[in-house]
Amino acid sequence: MEIVTSLVIVVVGVVATGDWKVVEANDVHSPVALFEMLAEVAAAIAGYLVVVYGMEYRSLPLEFRFSRWKGLIVGGVIGFVAIALCVGILALTGNYRILGLNTHYNPWMDIISMGICAGVAEEIMMRGMLLRLVEEWLGSWGALAVSALVFGLMHMGNQDGTLWGGLAIAIEDGILSAALYFVTRSLWVCIGEHAMWNIAEGPIFGSIVSGNGKQDSWLVAQWSGPDIMTGGSFGLEASIVPVILMGAAGIALMVYAQCKDMLVRPAWVRKRHMVDC
C-alpha cells in the first residue's frame, strides 16, 4: 500500500510540474518560463522529500547524498560525449554542417532552464521516484520499462511533440538514464547526464530540444536530409542515430549490471526465494 501511495504522489508531481502541457516556442526562453521551471524543480524536490522522509522514513537517502555531488561531472561527461558522438556521425553522413559561430548568443537562460532545471526536476521525478519505487515492485527491468515509457510519452506534449519523438526519447535516454542509475545508484550522475545532454544538444550544437522549437546556439548549424536522420522539427532526439547508439549503450549497461548482480528482482520472485530458503 505504501508503494501505491508513493506512486500516486509521483503521478501528481509529474502533472503538477507541468510536463504534460503544450509550451509555445517563444515561451521556453522567457523569464516567465524560467520561473515556471524553477517552480517545477521545487515541486519535484518537495515530492521527493515527502516520499523519502514522510513515507519511507529514510534520513540519508544514498542516491541523493550531497557528498556524492561529483557524480554530476561523470554524468555531464557521459551526456556530452553521447550528443557529440551522434552529431559527429551525422556530420560524416552529410546531415549536419557547422556554418559559423554565434558570438552574440547569451546561453545562460537556456542552460538554466533547459539544462539545469529540466535535468533536476525530471530526474528526481523519473529516476529518483518513479524508477526507484516501481523497482521495489516489478524489479529493475520492469521499472526500466515503465519509467522509460512514461519519460518518453511526457515529451509528446511539447510544441512539436510526436509519438515517434516520445518513443525515441524512451529508447535512447529513458533506457540509458535508468541503466546509469542502476549501475551507480546515484541521482547526481543521472542529473548531470540529462542536463548536459540538453545543453550540448541545444545551446552548443544547435539542435531543437525535444520538440520545443528553434533556438539560438553557439554553433550555427545546418541540418539537412530526411527527418529520420536529422529528427525534423522534434530535434536530434528523434534521429535514428541516437536511438540506435544510446539505446544499445543503455542495454549494454543493463546487461553489465545484470552480470554484476546490481539489479533487483521482482517482489514476488524475492518473496518466493525467501520462502524456499
Side-chain angles (χ1 to χ4, degrees):
M1 183 63 183
E2 180 178 303
I3 293 178
V4 174
T5 305
S6 300
L7 290 177
V8 170
I9 292 177
V10 174
V11 173
V12 172
V14 171
V15 175
T17 57
D19 284 319
W20 301 93
K21 65 185 178 182
V22 176
V23 180
E24 294 297 329
N26 292 333
D27 289 343
V28 296
H29 307 118
S30 69
V32 174
L34 176 60
F35 177 80
E36 290 180 351
M37 290 186 176
L38 289 173
E40 291 173 10
V41 172
I45 293 175
Y48 176 76
L49 293 177
V50 168
V51 171
V52 169
Y53 293 105
M55 305 187 71
E56 297 181 297
Y57 305 109
R58 293 191 298 153
S59 58
L60 290 174
L62 176 63
E63 71 274 4
F64 211 17
R65 189 174 295 173
F66 184 73
S67 61
R68 305 181 69 191
W69 68 268
K70 291 181 181 179
L72 287 173
I73 300 174
V74 176
V77 171
I78 293 172
F80 181 82
V81 170
I83 292 298
L85 180 60
C86 293
V87 171
I89 290 175
L90 289 173
L92 290 175
T93 58
N95 301 114
Y96 178 85
R97 180 185 177 191
I98 297 174
L99 302 179
L101 183 65
N102 183 0
T103 58
H104 301 291
Y105 172 53
N106 186 343
W108 293 112
M109 183 71 75
D110 290 337
I111 289 175
I112 294 173
S113 60
M114 292 188 302
I116 298 174
C117 289
V120 172
E122 292 182 18
E123 289 308 311
I124 286 177
M125 295 302 298
M126 292 295 103
R127 259 60 68 173
M129 295 176 66
L130 182 61
L131 177 73
R132 189 173 56 79
L133 294 172
V134 173
E135 185 184 31
E136 296 180 21
W137 177 29
L138 297 180
S140 300
W141 285 99
L144 179 147
V146 171
S147 64
L149 183 60
V150 173
F151 182 61
L153 293 181
M154 67 187 247
H155 288 85
M156 290 176 57
N158 293 344
Q159 178 194 347
D160 294 315
T162 63
L163 176 60
W164 165 245
L167 291 176
I169 288 181
I171 295 170
E172 64 204 18
D173 202 34
I175 294 176
L176 180 60
S177 292
L180 285 173
Y181 178 79
F182 291 142
V183 170
T184 65
R185 296 290 168 175
S186 170
L187 272 181
W188 294 107
V189 173
C190 297
I191 290 172
E193 183 270 338
H194 191 147
M196 184 53 72
W197 175 292
N198 285 1
I199 292 169
E201 184 181 17
I204 295 178
F205 289 110
S207 170
I208 297 169
V209 179
S210 306
N212 279 312
K214 292 183 178 180
Q215 64 169 76
D216 289 334
S217 59
W218 274 313
L219 297 176
V220 180
Q222 180 182 60
W223 301 78
S224 58
D227 288 354
I228 194 63
M229 291 298 292
T230 65
S233 60
F234 193 85
L236 176 62
E237 289 158 322
S239 166
I240 195 65
V241 174
V243 170
I244 294 175
L245 290 184
M246 298 307 108
I251 293 297
L253 272 179
M254 288 297 293
V255 172
Y256 170 81
Q258 183 80 60
C259 293
K260 295 296 183 179
D261 199 25
M262 296 176 172
L263 303 183
V264 175
R265 291 172 293 181
W268 59 88
V269 175
R270 301 198 306 271
K271 184 178 180 180
R272 186 171 65 244
H273 179 73
M274 290 177 64
V275 172
D276 293 339
C277 292

